[in-house]
Amino acid sequence: MFFPTPTQPPDWSAAIKHLRRDAKLRRYIAAVGPCTLIPRDNPFVMLVRSIYSQQISTTIAATLYGRFAGRFPRKTPTPRRVVAALSGGWDDATIRHVGLSRQKREYVLDLARHFEDGRIKPKLLYKMDDPAVIETLTRVKGIGRWTAEMFLIFVLNRPDVLPVDDLGLREGVRRLYGLAERPRPQTVREIAEPWTPWRSIATWYIWRGMSALKSEN
């Protein structure tokens, strides 16, 4: 286990108290309820999942990743076994069956090699500051800033990440503040400034709030 997995979510009460000062965001917080973000305990697996999810639906990605993981002991791929599998251990038919295009195969293999040869050290990711994590992860083929920011939020639970290139966040900000069009990244930064140092939690509430309020209508 690379990161501690708590038996219950972290205490985000300070974040919620701070964010409730925003009258509009307060509505989303009320609709969603407690923040349930918890850290995840296997960064390699989470990053493989993120590569699988690129450009396809969440449902399809989960199915294909399940096929991939199912070929490893305890359904848990490790860097060493992934390198062996994708460097010649699996034939082309198997690779297609588990849903890896030629490009995604290169991405997953490059990720596995970064973990296997020590260019990415899982325990150190937990200790790095946010810019260092982003710099480290974006050296891997197929992992851009957005994926690294999702890793910071959902795996490491860093509290003050603002993924301004995320279309869901920008659309959520547009709806929340009654804007005529989807705001540009700089506008999102300006709107989000009062959320500091809890911009990750605000982002999470905006994502969840859109779904929660839609289901009420």
Side-chain angles (χ1 to χ4, degrees), residues 162 164-166 170 182-191:
L162 185 69
V164 294
D165 294 318
D166 183 80
R170 289 163 62 187
R182 190 175 291 161
R184 296 178 181 274
Q186 182 56 36
T187 302
V188 174
R189 290 188 187 95
E190 293 168 0
I191 290 172

Side-chain angles (χ1 to χ4, degrees), residues 69-131:
R71 301 189 68 86
F72 296 94
R74 296 185 296 279
K75 298 183 179 181
T76 304
T78 63
R80 180 174 299 178
R81 288 194 170 102
V82 170
V83 169
L86 299 185
S87 296
W90 291 355
D91 59 25
D92 290 344
T94 299
I95 291 174
R96 287 195 299 271
H97 177 71
V98 301
L100 288 176
S101 64
R102 180 177 178 181
Q103 186 176 59
K104 286 188 177 181
R105 173 186 172 275
E106 291 179 0
Y107 293 169
V108 173
L109 180 56
D110 191 51
L111 174 68
R113 284 173 171 160
H114 272 74
F115 274 81
E116 176 64 13
D117 65 20
R119 281 176 286 174
I120 296 179
K121 295 179 172 62
K123 291 182 180 179
L124 290 184
L125 288 173
Y126 190 65
K127 299 176 182 178
M128 291 177 179
D129 62 20
D130 294 354

Side-chain angles (χ1 to χ4, degrees), residues 5-23:
T5 301
T7 56
Q8 58 185 7
D11 182 3
W12 297 115
S13 58
I16 293 170
K17 181 179 180 180
H18 178 86
L19 296 172
R20 282 177 59 84
R21 298 173 185 171
D22 184 320

Side-chain angles (χ1 to χ4, degrees), residues 19 22 24-25 28-29 32 162 166-177 188 191-192 195 199-213:
L19 296 172
D22 184 320
K24 294 185 181 297
L25 191 55
Y28 276 15
I29 293 172
V32 174
L162 185 69
D166 183 80
L167 294 181
L169 172 61
R170 289 163 62 187
E171 176 61 19
V173 169
R174 184 193 70 79
R175 296 184 191 181
L176 186 62
Y177 293 93
V188 174
I191 290 172
W195 305 343
R199 291 178 296 178
S200 297
I201 312 307
T203 297
W204 184 88
Y205 271 110
I206 287 173
W207 284 330
R208 296 298 186 271
M210 286 193 294
S211 298
L213 292 175

